[in-house]
């Protein structure tokens, strides 16, 4: 058995793809199989999703297309998503990418967050159970207009840094990053969230290879182990959602064992609590899920989910389902060592079982409220030095200011009122730091709210742009300044924000964070 597995792992990518295609051919009508073969032989077009928190998408797309020679086509199920059918400058090599004005994302992955309905939720409460690296989390933030609260969780400590940096670069404020097994949230926080996204760990057999998703050997045993974990995670998502809430289940694989079979098993365990919403009208081409695989026939409702075949949608293979939660009956709360609590909207109920729920005995001690004098100093200096009025943004986004040492963080109020006992890896968005020379706004905050900073700007010429983006200081000769203060906001000749600088006697000191250096 081990020898066969090693031999399989040594197969080339082309041979592995051929094996996968042979496996999936019976799932398609005979006339469609040649279309699938042709689709997977063509390279995937890069796709980007525009950040509406920082730019006006139609205006920005027109500017980028002209500047970088992009020829774009809208992703049909995502208004903010665009394929780059031709591009003189790759999307990974632009200023706008480094400053979080768009996210490079395979088009199929733009579907899950787009399935949710946020129309009647002014401040939604959302759980992203397997969030890293963060692309779908930023999409959730966009759909909510960053008004509400997202718990972005990932079970892998090694993946938390990537998640945290993506959210910071995006400029998300209403978010907390946690690192716990996703299977436990249904116990810890039952019937709590308006929306729950489970982009489940999977075999990634989408039939379109890329640098991040190369073809690899997948055994039946691995598929079964993944399916078992996916079902546990989906059960957790179901319990964590409030009655009437929505759950999206998604994978980047076409394997029925990890898709239709998982939904079928969920319906068998919770026949009264789950409704699979028909998504046929949401897509531009037929995308019904399978009714059977081999000898196994699935519940008729499973067909309401969607599988994106590459030859139908021009993207990698993908699967998604939108679930609506109905009231769970008593027998639908199976025991897992202790009985699940059935109340879900109060903090005491959510975190009452301290033997299983992660809590901090000194909850919130590392986020101290600002003193009135500190708040007045901060807001006054931001207004005087940069023409930025902070309080309207705090009120609109329901943020509170908290201090950790000299750093001030804008924290979602709902975290403080309902989830402050939950340990987090990151929270909200850094506003800046108190220093001897005055309050210094953070790179992340200015990048997000740059359009509202009316003063304190420096514009540098084209000859300085490349050195500056490499992280180098520039000489001040010939540079026009406006506003006051040692810290200034730096722009290029086109008015694009390119970081903060510190005015010294003979130069403009570069304060770009390392991750933004080109």
């Amino acid at each position: 058995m081990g020898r066969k597995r090693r031999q399989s792992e040594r197969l080339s990518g082309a041979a592995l793809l051929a094996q996968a295609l042979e496996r999936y051919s019976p799932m398609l009508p005979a006339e469609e199989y040649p279309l699938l073969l042709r689709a997977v032989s063509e390279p995937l077009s890069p796709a980007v999703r525009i950040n509406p928190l920082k730019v006006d998408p139609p205006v920005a797309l027109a500017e980028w297309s002209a500047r970088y020679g992009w020829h774009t086509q809208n992703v049909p199920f995502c208004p903010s998503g665009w394929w780059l059918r031709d591009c003189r400058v790759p999307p990974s090599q632009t200023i706008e990418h480094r400053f979080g004005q768009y996210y490079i994302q395979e088009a199929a992955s733009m579907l899950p967050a787009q399935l949710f309905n946020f129309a009647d939720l002014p401040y939604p409460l959302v759980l992203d159970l397997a969030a890293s690296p963060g692309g779908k989390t930023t999409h959730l933030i966009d759909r909510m207009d960053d008004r509400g609260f997202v718990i972005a969780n990932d079970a892998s400590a090694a993946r938390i840094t990537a998640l945290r940096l993506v959210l910071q670069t995006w400029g998300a404020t209403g978010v907390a990053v946690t690192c716990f097994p996703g299977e436990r949230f249904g116990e810890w926080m039952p019937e709590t969230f308006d929306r729950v996204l489970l982009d489940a760990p999977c075999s990634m057999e989408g039939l379109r290879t890329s640098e991040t998703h190369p073809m690899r050997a997948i055994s039946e045993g691995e598929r079964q182990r993944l399916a078992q974990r996916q079902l546990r995670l989906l059960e957790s998502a179901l319990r964590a959602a409030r009655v009437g809430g929505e759950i999206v289940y998604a994978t980047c694989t076409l394997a029925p064992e990890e898709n239709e079979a998982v939904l079928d098993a969920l319906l068998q365990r919770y026949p009264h609590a789950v409704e699979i919403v028909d998504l046929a009208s949401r897509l531009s081409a037929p995308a019904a899920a399978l009714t059977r695989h081999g000898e196994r026939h699935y519940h008729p409702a499973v067909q309401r989910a969607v599988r994106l075949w590459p030859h139908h949608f021009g993207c990698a293979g993908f699967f998604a389902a939108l679930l609506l939660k109905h009231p769970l009956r008593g027998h639908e709360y199976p025991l897992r060592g202790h009985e699940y609590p059935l109340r879900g909207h109060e903090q005491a109920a959510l975190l009452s079982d301290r033997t299983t729920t992660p809590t901090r005995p000194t909850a919130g001690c590392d986020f101290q409220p600002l003193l009135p004098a500190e708040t007045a100093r901060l807001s006054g200096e931001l207004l005087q030095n940069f023409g930025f009025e902070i309080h309207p943004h705090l009120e609109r986004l329901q943020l509170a200011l908290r201090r950790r040492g000299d750093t001030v963080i804008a924290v979602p109020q709902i975290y403080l009122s309902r989830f402050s006992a939950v340990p987090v890896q990151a929270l909200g968005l850094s506003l800046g730091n108190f220093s001897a020379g005055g309050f210094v706004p953070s790179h992340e905050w200015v990048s997000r709210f740059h359009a509202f900073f009316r003063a304190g700007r420096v514009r540098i010429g084209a000859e300085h742009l490349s050195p500056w983006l490499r992280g180098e200081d520039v000489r001040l000769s010939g540079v026009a300044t406006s506003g006051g203060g040692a810290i200034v906001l730096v722009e290029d000749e086109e008015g694009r924000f390119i970081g903060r600088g510190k005015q010294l006697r003979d130069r403009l000191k570069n304060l770009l964070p390392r991750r933004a250096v080109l």
Side-chain angles (χ1 to χ4, degrees), residues 114-406:
Q114 204 65 43
L115 295 177
F116 287 115
N117 175 24
F118 288 105
D120 299 325
L121 297 170
Y123 292 96
L125 186 57
V126 179
L127 173 62
D128 190 349
L129 267 180
S132 188
K136 296 178 184 66
T137 315
T138 62
H139 199 175
L140 290 170
I141 294 288
D142 295 349
R143 295 290 322 284
M144 299 159 54
D145 194 26
D146 203 14
R147 301 176 71 173
F149 183 54
V150 178
I151 293 181
N153 180 73
D154 202 274
S156 171
R159 293 164 58 88
I160 290 297
T161 297
L163 174 60
R164 178 174 54 81
L165 292 178
V166 163
L167 292 170
Q168 286 179 356
T169 302
W170 202 249
T173 65
V175 64
V177 175
T178 61
C179 183
F180 301 113
E183 294 90 336
R184 305 304 301 277
F185 275 84
E187 300 177 54
W188 294 338
M189 303 179 185
E191 299 192 344
T192 298
F193 297 93
D194 300 304
R195 304 289 182 261
V196 182
L197 172 61
L198 173 55
D199 179 36
C202 70
S203 59
M204 300 188 293
E205 200 167 52
L207 302 183
R208 301 294 295 272
T209 59
S210 66
E211 291 184 4
T212 57
H213 290 89
M215 289 296 298
R216 65 180 185 87
I218 303 162
S219 68
E220 288 303 314
E222 180 181 1
R223 286 195 182 94
Q224 292 304 322
R225 288 191 295 273
L226 283 166
Q228 291 167 8
R229 186 183 180 203
Q230 289 154 357
L231 181 57
R232 292 195 299 269
L233 286 166
L234 188 51
E235 286 185 282
S236 179
L238 177 65
R239 295 192 191 100
R242 65 167 174 82
V243 173
E246 295 176 355
I247 304 107
V248 167
Y249 176 73
T251 73
C252 57
T253 185
L254 291 170
E257 299 90 339
E258 304 174 53
N259 295 325
E260 287 91 346
V262 173
L263 292 182
D264 185 68
L266 187 77
L267 289 172
Q268 291 181 31
R269 294 191 183 190
Y270 304 92
H272 306 289
V274 180
E275 176 186 344
I276 301 180
V277 179
D278 192 343
L279 298 175
S281 64
R282 306 282 293 271
L283 296 173
S284 59
L290 301 177
T291 59
R292 57 171 290 181
H293 175 55
E295 299 301 317
R296 180 170 179 179
H297 292 259
Y298 302 123
H299 190 289
V302 170
Q303 196 176 14
R304 299 172 188 164
V306 295
R307 55 171 45 234
L308 305 187
W309 289 99
H311 61 292
H312 284 167
F313 294 92
C315 58
F318 203 84
F319 183 89
L322 175 62
L323 313 178
L324 186 65
K325 179 175 176 177
H326 297 306
L328 286 155
R329 299 185 180 183
H331 68 277
E332 292 179 324
Y333 286 89
L335 300 180
R336 291 285 198 277
H338 67 280
E339 191 169 350
Y340 289 93
L342 302 184
R343 295 162 52 200
H345 290 289
E346 298 298 329
Q347 181 74 351
L350 296 180
L351 302 179
S352 60
D353 186 353
R354 293 185 179 271
T355 63
T356 58
T357 303
T359 60
R360 296 177 298 179
T362 53
C365 65
D366 48 352
F367 295 104
Q368 297 296 325
L370 268 67
L371 299 174
E374 293 174 325
T375 301
R377 173 190 166 188
L378 176 154
S379 58
E381 291 185 6
L382 285 174
L383 184 60
Q384 178 180 348
N385 296 335
F386 303 99
F388 179 74
E389 297 186 49
I390 189 171
H391 292 292
H393 300 283
L394 299 179
E395 182 177 354
R396 183 179 71 86
L397 299 174
Q398 293 197 341
L399 302 171
L401 297 183
R402 290 295 182 267
R403 180 170 180 168
R404 177 188 283 169
D406 290 330

